[in-house]
Every structure is written in structure tokens, then in C-alpha cells.
């Protein structure tokens, strides 16, 4: 009897063979189509247009330099070098530079060696890179454009820190006043020039970049430039302490401003003052812990005094009070290079240049600052070469010295090796006179622009949100975030 499905025993193999042949035909046809059209699309996506440096967003950030008069950047250096001296700290190096610059007019004068000013020199090196001729900027992450419509961000080339420091050196008492304050006049000039542009009005300033490394830079106009991207060494100068605070070190007593935020702003390094020590040059370190600086500080730096009293007489610990003049510099070089650990307590602000001097000296930083913000976090893992200590632990008698002695030789060698790898990241100086010339690919300037580049999606979102806001509606600033 024939099966109900109508197939006989002899027809089944023939049917299977037909299905196999049909499958093979379509499979072969699919392969042919894949290679034919797949090759076409491969050529399309590999075209020079799509992989060009200028069109791959991960390779660069497009920067337009706002049109400010020279008097607000390099002209300030002309003015500085015309002074006889800085009244706060006589600098032998600056006197020598002044002598060599007498009766000279340079397009890009050198930056001061006076350590009180040099530590804040980021503005100089960033503008120097953007001013460098295009053919020498192959290593720069920032691509300078000359049409503001093509730009991702607008860089405002105001030497805000130099302006503030010059005012402090000339007449410190006038700094917080407006009358008779040349720095205030320059701040107002910058704000009025920048806010009158179509670029500012189009974005509300959110895509503009200001360098404010000194905690008091642009002191009088901060509220007006708050929407912009601010390059700061930390947020310490933007907070004030509650008058009811008992010890000045508790973060709960900080009244936070709405003008700074890790969402939009970038923490950048101080310019280190001490020369780099290469790992191959490292020698035996006989001192356990070293610190040099002022004992008495304000605000969060009050912890420093307490630490000083706890540590000053401890075996293996050197606590020196001094200033960053020529003699102090040589003492710091010797002290940091001969010590295993370098103490980095908070000062008037949570961070200081001392941290970056320690890194360049391969002296393991001991960071005692509960509210610290550090540059390039996410790229740099400070735990690989630094010791972080809570203020409450550091102030326990004998605790800190005992803790540091617990680290093995192998652990300290690993810290130092990782520190040597990180040293170039905090380097601003490109080795060219006037700061004009090629920059290191892995140096501080490029890392700053990479961090700004990471902010772009959020900044663009904020600009769009502002544009669709109904007329007359205000949205409060909410930057209480970390």
C-alpha cells in the first residue's frame, strides 16, 4: 500500500537530492552577491574622505580662536617684562630675562619664571599651540579652524591668570575692588567683546573655553562666564565655607556654587616647577617623608598646621618651611629626589603645584585632601602611583608614619615605575621659545583638549535645550554634582 503522503520509497532520495541542489545554488548565488556588493561597500567606507584626520571626531577637536586684541594675551607679557620686578617675590631668573629683553619687541615673549606665576602657565602653552603654523601641528589634538561655524568650541585667548597676578603684584589691596583695578578693566573688556559676538549669542557661551588656573582669575565676572567650559586646577576657589564651620575641613560645611561642575568643566594640572627625574636616574632614597612649603594656610589648609605639629619631630620625616625662590627650589629638588614619599596636604585650595613637582621627582605623593579633584582622571589612575589618606586618619598620632612604613620595597618600586610612565602627561613646555612649535603628542595640552572633547555631546545637548526653551522661561543652574 502506498504511503498516504503520495511519495513512494523510490522517490524520496530524488527529492532530497533536488532540495540539496537547490540549496547549493542559492548559497553560491549569495556568496557571489556578497563579494560583489561587499567589495563595493568596502571601498566606499574606506574612502579618503571618511578616514581623513579632519572628519574623524575621535582624532581632533575643531577650535576657533576668539578675536581679542593682543593687549589681552601676549601684550600682558610685554607689560610684565616692562616692570622692574614683581614686588611679592624677587626672581633672579626673571631679572635675567628682563635684562635680555630690554629694548626688544617680541611677537611671543617668554612666560615668567617667577614660580608664583609660572605654576599657572597653562594659558600660555595652550595658545602657543593654537598659534603654531599649521604644518607644525601634526601632533596636536586641537585642529584650529578659521570659520566659527566649523568649530566645536571657541577658545578665548585671555591670559586671565597673568592679568590677576600682575594686579596682585602691583596693588594687592585693589584686587577685590573695581575702581583702580586694571585686572577688572581687562575682565570687563573680555566679557563685552566675547558676549557681543554671534557665536556667544548662538550658544549662550556654552561652547566657549576660558583658562582660569589661578583661583582668583576673572574674579569679578565669573557669574557672566559660568555657562562656558572652564579650565581650572580645582574647584577650591569657587566654594566658600559656612561661617559656622568648626574646623574648616568638613565638606558638609562647603557652600557650593552653581558655576562649576565636572559635567562641563575640565580639571587641568599646574605647571610643575621642578625638572623631570627619569627612572634611570633614580637613586637610593633615605628619607621616608618630605614636605616643603608654608606651614600656615587658610580654609581647608588649616589641616596642614595640624599635620606639621604631628610630623615635625618624627624620625625619617623632613618638614621644611620655605618659599619657591631660587634657594627654595634647589632645596625642594634635593628633598624630593631623596625621599620615598612627598606629603601633599591641601593648601588654600585642595591641590597645589607640589603634587606635580613630586611626580616629576618620582617621589610618591601622599595626598591628604578629602575634597581634591585631579586632572585627566579616567585617563590617569592616580592609585597606581599615589597614596590617598583621609584627613581623619592622617590626624591620628603616629598613624601616617606607620602606614607609610608598611609599604614594601616592591610596592614602592611599582609606584615609581607607574609614575615615570605618567610624567609626560603633565608636561606643558614644548621646548620652543615663546611656546610656538610642535607639542608632545602625549603632553598636557593634548590631554586637556581630549577632556574638552569628551564634554561635547553634553554641551551640544545643553545648547539645543536652551534654544527650545520658551521665551521668558528661566532654567536654574544645577551643577551640584561630582
Amino acid at each position: 500500500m502506498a504511503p498516504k503522503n503520495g511519495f513512494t520509497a523510490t522517490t524520496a532520495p530524488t527529492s532530497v537530492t533536488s532540495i540539496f541542489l537547490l540549496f547549493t545554488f542559492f548559497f553560491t548565488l549569495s556568496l557571489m552577491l556578497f563579494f560583489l556588493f561587499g567589495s563595493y561597500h568596502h571601498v566606499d567606507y574606506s574612502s579618503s574622505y571618511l578616514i581623513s584626520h579632519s572628519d574623524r571626531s575621535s582624532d581632533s577637536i575643531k577650535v576657533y580662536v576668539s578675536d581679542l586684541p593682543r593687549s589681552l594675551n601676549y601684550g600682558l607679557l610685554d607689560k610684565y617684562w616692562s616692570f622692574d620686578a614683581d614686588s611679592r617675590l624677587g626672581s633672579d631668573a626673571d631679572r635675567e630675562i628682563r635684562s635680555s629683553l630690554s629694548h626688544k619687541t617680541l611677537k611671543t615673549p617668554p612666560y615668567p619664571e617667577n614660580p608664583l606665576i609660572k605654576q599657572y602657565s597653562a594659558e600660555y602653552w595652550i595658545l602657543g599651540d593654537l598659534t603654531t603654523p599649521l604644518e607644525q601641528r601634526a601632533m596636536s589634538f586641537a585642529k584650529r579652524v578659521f570659520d566659527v561655524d566649523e568649530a566645536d568650541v571657541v577658545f578665548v585667548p585671555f591670559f586671565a591668570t597673568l592679568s590677576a597676578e600682575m594686579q596682585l603684584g602691583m596693588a594687592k589691596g585693589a584686587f577685590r575692588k573695581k575702581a583702580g583695578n586694571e585686572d577688572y578693566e581687562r575682565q570687563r573688556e573680555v566679557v563685552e567683546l566675547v558676549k557681543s559676538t554671534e557665536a556667544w549669542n548662538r550658544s549662550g557661551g556654552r561652547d566657549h573655553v576660558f583658562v582660569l588656573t589661578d583661583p582668583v582669575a576673572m574674579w569679578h565676572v565669573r557669574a557672566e562666564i559660568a555657562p562656558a567650559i572652564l579650565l581650572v586646577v580645582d574647584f577650591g576657589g569657587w566654594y566658600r565655607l559656612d561661617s559656622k564651620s568648626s574646623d574648616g575641613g568638613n565638606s558638609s560645611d562647603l557652600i557650593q556654587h552653581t558655576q562649576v561642575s565636572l559635567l562641563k568643566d575640565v580639571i587641568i594640572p599646574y605647571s610643575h616647577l621642578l625638572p623631570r627625574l627619569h627612572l634611570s636616574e633614580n637613586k637610593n632614597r633615605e628619607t621616608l617623608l618630605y614636605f616643603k612649603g608654608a606651614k600656615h594656610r587658610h580654609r581647608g589648609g588649616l589641616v596642614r598646621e595640624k599635620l606639621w605639629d604631628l610630623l615635625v619631630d618624627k624620625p625619617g620625616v623632613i618638614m621644611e618651611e620655605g618659599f619657591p625662590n631660587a634657594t627654595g627650589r634647589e632645596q625642594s629638588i634635593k628633598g624630593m629626589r631623596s625621599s620615598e614619599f612627598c606629603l601633599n596636604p591641601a593648601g588654600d585650595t585642595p591641590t597645589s603645584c607640589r603634587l606635580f613637582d613630586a611626580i616629576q621627582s618620582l617621589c610618591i605623593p601622599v595626598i591628604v585632601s578629602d575634597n581634591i579633584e585631579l586632572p585627566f582622571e579616567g585617563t590617569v589612575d592616580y592609585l597606581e602611583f599615589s597614596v590617598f589618606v583621609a584627613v581623619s586618619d592622617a590626624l591620628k598620632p603616629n598613624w601616617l608614619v606607620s602606614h607609610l612604613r608598611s609599604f614594601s620595597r616592591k610596592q614602592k618600586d611599582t609606584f615609581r615605575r607607574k609614575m615615570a610612565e605618567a610624567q609626560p602627561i603633565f608636561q606643558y613646555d614644548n621646548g620652543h621659545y615663546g611656546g610656538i612649535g610642535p607639542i608632545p603628542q602625549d603632553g598636557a595640552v593634548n590631554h586637556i583638549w581630549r577632556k574638552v572633547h569628551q564634554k561635547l555631546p553634553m554641551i551640544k545637548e545643553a545648547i539645543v535645550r536652551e534654544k527650545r526653551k520658551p521665551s521668558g522661561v528661566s532654567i536654574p543652574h544645577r551643577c551640584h554634582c561630582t
Side-chain angles (χ1 to χ4, degrees):
M1 182 180 293
K4 291 182 180 180
N5 60 12
F7 287 101
T8 64
T10 56
T11 61
T14 303
S15 175
V16 170
T17 302
S18 300
I19 293 171
F20 175 78
L21 291 173
L22 188 62
F23 173 81
T24 303
F25 170 77
F26 280 111
F27 180 75
T28 304
L29 180 62
S30 298
L31 285 175
M32 292 174 64
L33 291 172
F34 174 81
F35 284 113
L36 177 63
F37 291 99
S39 298
Y40 169 78
H41 287 294
H42 177 72
V43 172
D44 180 54
Y45 284 114
S46 299
S47 66
S48 60
Y49 172 77
L50 289 175
I51 65 171
S52 68
H53 181 81
S54 61
D55 291 289
R56 287 170 58 182
S57 60
S58 61
D59 284 347
S60 65
I61 181 172
K62 299 181 182 69
V63 180
Y64 178 83
V65 180
S66 185
D67 186 19
L68 294 185
R70 188 177 182 280
S71 61
L72 294 172
N73 39 71
Y74 292 118
L76 285 173
L77 286 170
D78 294 334
K79 188 178 182 69
Y80 177 84
W81 292 120
S82 70
F83 297 158
D84 291 333
D86 187 315
S87 61
R88 294 169 301 159
L89 183 70
S91 171
D92 293 336
D94 277 0
R95 281 197 289 270
E96 292 172 8
I97 294 173
R98 280 192 175 90
S99 176
S100 68
L101 293 178
S102 61
H103 309 298
K104 290 183 181 178
T105 302
L106 300 175
K107 184 177 180 180
T108 53
Y111 206 78
E113 287 293 319
N114 181 330
L116 292 177
I117 301 176
K118 184 180 180 179
Q119 63 181 331
Y120 301 123
S121 64
E123 55 196 12
Y124 179 76
W125 300 107
I126 293 172
L127 181 57
D129 172 48
L130 292 170
T131 307
T132 296
L134 180 62
E135 62 273 13
Q136 299 180 40
R137 303 193 66 248
M139 294 294 102
S140 298
F141 186 77
K143 177 186 176 183
R144 184 173 179 179
V145 296
F146 294 88
D147 183 344
V148 71
D149 293 330
E150 298 177 7
D152 294 316
V153 294
V154 177
F155 179 72
V156 182
F158 174 44
F159 287 175
T161 286
L162 181 60
S163 177
E165 288 292 336
M166 286 171 60
Q167 181 62 50
L168 288 169
M170 292 167 54
K172 185 175 181 179
F175 182 80
R176 295 181 185 273
K177 303 175 182 178
K178 296 179 180 180
N181 184 342
E182 293 183 13
D183 177 44
Y184 169 72
E185 294 172 3
R186 289 188 287 264
Q187 292 176 39
R188 284 255 50 96
E189 182 180 0
V190 170
V191 169
E192 289 169 9
L193 286 172
V194 172
K195 293 185 76 171
S196 67
T197 64
E198 181 182 348
W200 179 279
N201 294 324
R202 184 173 57 199
S203 69
R206 287 174 174 80
D207 56 359
H208 284 52
V209 180
F210 291 84
V211 187
L212 306 181
T213 46
D214 192 306
V216 296
M218 298 199 82
W219 180 267
H220 293 279
V221 297
R222 286 182 169 184
E224 297 179 66
I225 63 170
I229 306 163
L230 308 177
L231 309 186
V232 297
V233 292
D234 60 34
F235 293 153
W238 298 77
Y239 300 146
R240 64 184 176 87
L241 289 174
D242 190 331
S243 59
K244 298 178 182 179
S245 171
S246 59
D247 60 6
N250 191 327
S251 60
S252 65
D253 296 321
L254 290 174
I255 300 176
Q256 301 194 19
H257 289 238
T258 59
Q259 297 167 351
V260 286
S261 165
L262 286 177
L263 293 177
K264 70 177 184 70
D265 302 318
V266 175
I267 304 296
I268 68 175
Y270 288 79
S271 297
H272 61 83
L273 301 176
L274 303 187
R276 179 180 177 182
L277 176 70
H278 294 271
L279 190 60
S280 61
E281 302 170 314
N282 186 54
K283 298 179 181 179
N284 291 333
R285 295 169 178 261
E286 299 176 354
T287 302
L288 176 69
L289 180 64
Y290 178 78
F291 173 83
K292 184 178 181 61
K295 176 181 178 180
H296 303 286
R297 293 285 88 184
H298 306 291
R299 296 184 294 198
L302 295 176
V303 172
R304 186 183 295 186
E305 286 190 48
K306 298 178 182 179
L307 280 172
W308 189 291
D309 293 336
L310 284 173
L311 296 170
V312 66
D313 294 322
K314 296 294 182 184
V317 177
I318 295 178
M319 304 289 287
E320 294 180 336
E321 187 154 17
F323 300 94
N325 52 24
T327 302
R329 181 177 184 274
E330 293 305 313
Q331 290 174 340
S332 294
I333 291 173
K334 180 180 178 181
M336 285 192 168
R337 292 187 176 191
S338 60
S339 302
E340 296 278 14
F341 298 93
C342 283
L343 185 64
N344 289 272
D348 290 339
T349 58
T351 58
S352 72
C353 180
R354 186 177 295 101
L355 170 62
F356 305 98
D357 284 338
I359 291 172
Q360 297 302 323
S361 303
L362 296 177
C363 186
I364 301 166
V366 179
I367 299 174
V368 185
S369 182
D370 291 349
N371 301 304
I372 198 169
E373 303 290 355
L374 294 166
F376 313 144
E377 290 203 82
T379 300
V380 178
D381 184 355
Y382 289 84
L383 285 172
E384 292 186 335
F385 55 81
S386 305
V387 177
F388 289 84
V389 177
V391 169
S392 58
D393 286 333
L395 294 181
K396 296 175 183 176
N398 302 317
W399 186 93
L400 184 58
V401 169
S402 176
H403 179 61
L404 297 181
R405 292 195 187 280
S406 71
F407 286 90
S408 68
R409 169 59 56 190
K410 183 178 179 180
Q411 286 175 303
K412 290 183 285 188
D413 288 344
T414 300
F415 276 145
R416 205 160 281 118
R417 187 177 68 254
K418 290 293 185 180
M419 205 183 321
E421 294 173 4
Q423 283 176 325
I425 295 173
F426 305 109
Q427 179 74 39
Y428 283 105
D429 195 330
N430 57 25
H432 301 281
Y433 191 83
I436 307 299
I439 63 172
Q441 186 173 17
D442 200 34
V445 172
N446 271 348
H447 277 280
I448 289 170
W449 285 121
R450 288 188 182 103
K451 292 297 287 188
V452 174
H453 186 267
Q454 292 175 11
K455 313 285 184 182
L456 292 182
M458 191 168 297
I459 291 165
K460 292 177 180 178
E461 181 180 323
I463 292 172
V464 171
R465 186 180 294 115
E466 180 70 20
K467 286 182 178 178
R468 58 86 174 153
K469 185 181 68 177
S471 178
V473 175
S474 62
I475 299 176
H477 292 294
R478 295 187 181 93
C479 289
H480 292 215
C481 46
T482 58

